[in-house]
């Protein structure tokens, strides 16, 4: 135990000299020179000013004394030496560029194939070009319409009994394959000429109106338009085939596009009937159905009868059958359940 006389405490924990801890009492040390100091420290004043050296162990260098398990192999792995450029290439990888070089034999074969293809295409084009040109000119004829013609045609379809002349304007005639070919005026110059513009637009409008009627009744689905168009096309094809067969039995001929146009005017009546049913109700729809069916039948009867060259005794009956067929198709394609 050490006597308390060797140290003198002050109120402040820091001594006047700035060092931490109680200051040394120099007076007491000088008075008690013979007393031993703790730790074998000499009482020489010079020794008090020197502190014992502190031994700091030398820090290990990075990765010097680490175990092998702590070394990251990705860092210290040796880089893989690239394959030397002078390594010989495998035999299967070598490209024989001489195979792709043009040779006189290859050029002859290519020229022969090119000549054969050109001759085949030119022969087929020359074979089918007259028919394609004739068909294109025929379609162009049936779409030669204007605004005045459309208005006149709709008036004829709704009020055919006011019309007196049903003959088409004949421009000229010629012989083709031992048959007489008649050339008529275009629809925009002849109101009695058939066209395909009005039937096509009426066909599309009929499908849209039918979809609208189904939508009002909450019965619309994407299949409705498909059903309407498919049923209309089936009825149209059957009518064309039956009229074509009837005219053939009479010993006469009529252009196929004329028959398609003639039977396509029923879609104008269908559009009018459906529109009246939507606006005024189902009762007025049936009234419009009866009227338009009768007018369309009369229109077909007069048009076919005036422009079909036949001397058969039964042509009146066959033409009347065509007219009744139009009325039945208008009734069948009309959708009155959802009005």
């Amino acid at each position: 135990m050490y006597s308390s006389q060797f140290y003198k405490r002050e109120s402040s924990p820091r001594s006047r000299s700035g060092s931490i801890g109680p200051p040394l009492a120099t007076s007491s040390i000088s008075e008690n020179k013979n007393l031993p100091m703790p730790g074998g420290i000499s009482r020489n004043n010079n020794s008090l000013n020197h502190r014992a050296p502190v031994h700091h162990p030398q820090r290990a260098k990075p990765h010097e004394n680490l175990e092998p398990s702590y070394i990251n192999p990705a860092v210290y792995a040796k880089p893989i030496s690239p394959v030397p450029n002078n390594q010989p290439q495998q035999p299967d990888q070598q490209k024989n560029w001489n195979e792709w070089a043009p040779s006189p034999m290859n050029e002859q074969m290519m020229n022969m194939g090119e000549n054969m293809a050109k001759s085949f295409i030119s022969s087929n084009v020359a074979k089918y070009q007259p028919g394609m040109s004739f068909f294109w000119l025929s379609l162009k004829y049936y779409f030669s319409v204007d605004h005045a013609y459309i208005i006149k045609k709709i008036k004829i379809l709704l009020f055919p009994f006011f019309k007196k002349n049903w003959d088409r304007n004949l421009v000229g005639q010629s012989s083709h394959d031992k048959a007489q070919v008649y050339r008529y005026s275009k629809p925009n110059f002849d109101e009695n000429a058939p066209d395909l513009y009005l039937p096509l637009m009426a066909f599309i409008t009929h499908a849209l109106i039918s979809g609208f009627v189904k939508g009002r009744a909450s019965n619309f689905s994407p299949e409705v338009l498909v059903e309407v168009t498919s049923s209309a096309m089936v009825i149209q094809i059957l009518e064309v085939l039956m009229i074509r067969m009837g005219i053939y039995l009479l010993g006469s001929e009529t252009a196929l596009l004329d028959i398609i146009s003639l039977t396509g005017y029923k879609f104008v009546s269908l559009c009018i009937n459906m529109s009246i049913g939507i606006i005024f109700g189902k009762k007025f729809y049936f009234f419009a159905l009866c009227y338009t069916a009768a007018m369309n039948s009369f229109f077909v009867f007069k048009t076919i009868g005036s422009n079909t060259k036949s001397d058969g005794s039964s042509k009146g009956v066959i033409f009347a059958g065509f007219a009744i067929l139009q009325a039945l198709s208008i009734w069948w394609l009309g959708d009155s359940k959802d009005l």
Side-chain angles (χ1 to χ4, degrees), residues 88-97:
Q89 194 175 11
Q90 297 297 330
D92 55 348
Q93 296 179 356
Q94 294 179 357
K95 297 181 180 179
N96 188 6
W97 297 103

Side-chain angles (χ1 to χ4, degrees), residues 208-269:
L208 296 177
I209 292 176
S210 299
F212 175 76
V213 171
K214 292 288 185 181
R216 287 183 58 192
S218 301
N219 295 328
F220 180 79
S221 63
E223 290 80 10
V224 169
L225 297 177
V226 178
E227 293 176 359
V228 172
T229 54
S230 60
S231 61
M233 290 181 66
V234 169
I235 295 297
Q236 179 74 10
I237 292 172
L238 291 176
E239 286 181 357
V240 170
L241 292 177
M242 294 179 67
I243 294 176
R244 184 82 170 180
M245 185 180 297
I247 294 176
Y248 177 78
L249 293 176
L250 292 175
S252 179
E253 291 184 3
T254 302
L256 179 63
L257 295 178
D258 288 352
I259 301 175
I260 295 174
S261 173
L262 191 63
T263 56
Y265 288 123
K266 63 178 175 291
F267 294 108
V268 178
S269 302

Side-chain angles (χ1 to χ4, degrees), residues 280-306:
F280 300 104
K282 187 178 293 188
K283 293 182 180 180
F284 288 91
Y285 167 78
F286 285 110
F287 174 77
L289 173 63
C290 296
Y291 178 80
T292 55
M295 296 298 102
N296 194 271
S297 299
F298 183 77
F299 169 80
V300 171
F301 179 81
K302 297 295 290 184
T303 302
I304 294 181
S306 301

Side-chain angles (χ1 to χ4, degrees), residues 153-338:
K153 201 69 175 183
I154 293 176
K155 289 180 179 180
I156 294 172
L157 291 172
L158 293 178
F159 310 103
F161 45 84
F162 288 118
K163 189 171 180 57
K164 304 300 181 181
N165 184 19
W166 292 90
D167 296 331
R168 298 172 62 179
N169 294 333
L170 184 62
V171 176
Q173 61 181 3
S174 60
S175 60
H176 179 72
D177 293 338
K178 299 180 180 180
Q180 293 293 328
V181 178
Y182 298 95
R183 293 184 292 114
Y184 298 98
S185 298
K186 294 181 179 180
N188 52 356
F189 297 106
D190 184 13
E191 61 183 15
N192 293 327
D195 71 288
L196 290 175
Y197 175 81
L198 191 58
L200 180 60
M201 294 297 105
F203 175 81
I204 297 173
T205 306
H206 166 66
L208 296 177
I209 292 176
S210 299
F212 175 76
V213 171
K214 292 288 185 181
R216 287 183 58 192
S218 301
N219 295 328
F220 180 79
S221 63
E223 290 80 10
V224 169
L225 297 177
V226 178
E227 293 176 359
V228 172
T229 54
S230 60
S231 61
M233 290 181 66
V234 169
I235 295 297
Q236 179 74 10
I237 292 172
L238 291 176
E239 286 181 357
V240 170
L241 292 177
M242 294 179 67
I243 294 176
R244 184 82 170 180
M245 185 180 297
I247 294 176
Y248 177 78
L249 293 176
L250 292 175
S252 179
E253 291 184 3
T254 302
L256 179 63
L257 295 178
D258 288 352
I259 301 175
I260 295 174
S261 173
L262 191 63
T263 56
Y265 288 123
K266 63 178 175 291
F267 294 108
V268 178
S269 302
L270 286 169
C271 293
I272 295 172
N273 299 340
M274 297 295 291
S275 300
I276 292 175
I278 292 171
I279 298 172
F280 300 104
K282 187 178 293 188
K283 293 182 180 180
F284 288 91
Y285 167 78
F286 285 110
F287 174 77
L289 173 63
C290 296
Y291 178 80
T292 55
M295 296 298 102
N296 194 271
S297 299
F298 183 77
F299 169 80
V300 171
F301 179 81
K302 297 295 290 184
T303 302
I304 294 181
S306 301
N307 297 280
T308 301
K309 310 299 180 181
S310 177
D311 297 331
S313 59
S314 59
K315 68 175 183 179
V317 177
I318 295 177
F319 294 161
F322 296 161
I324 295 173
L325 186 63
Q326 292 298 304
L328 293 176
S329 63
I330 292 173
W331 170 77
W332 178 264
L333 293 176
D335 191 3
S336 61
K337 295 181 294 183
D338 298 321

Side-chain angles (χ1 to χ4, degrees), residues 1-9 22-38 43:
M1 299 295 293
Y2 300 100
S3 177
S4 61
Q5 62 183 350
F6 294 103
Y7 298 93
K8 185 178 180 180
R9 295 179 178 276
L24 295 176
T26 57
S27 61
S28 300
I29 294 174
S30 63
E31 292 176 359
N32 301 284
K33 294 180 180 180
N34 296 325
L35 294 175
M37 291 297 291
R43 290 184 180 276

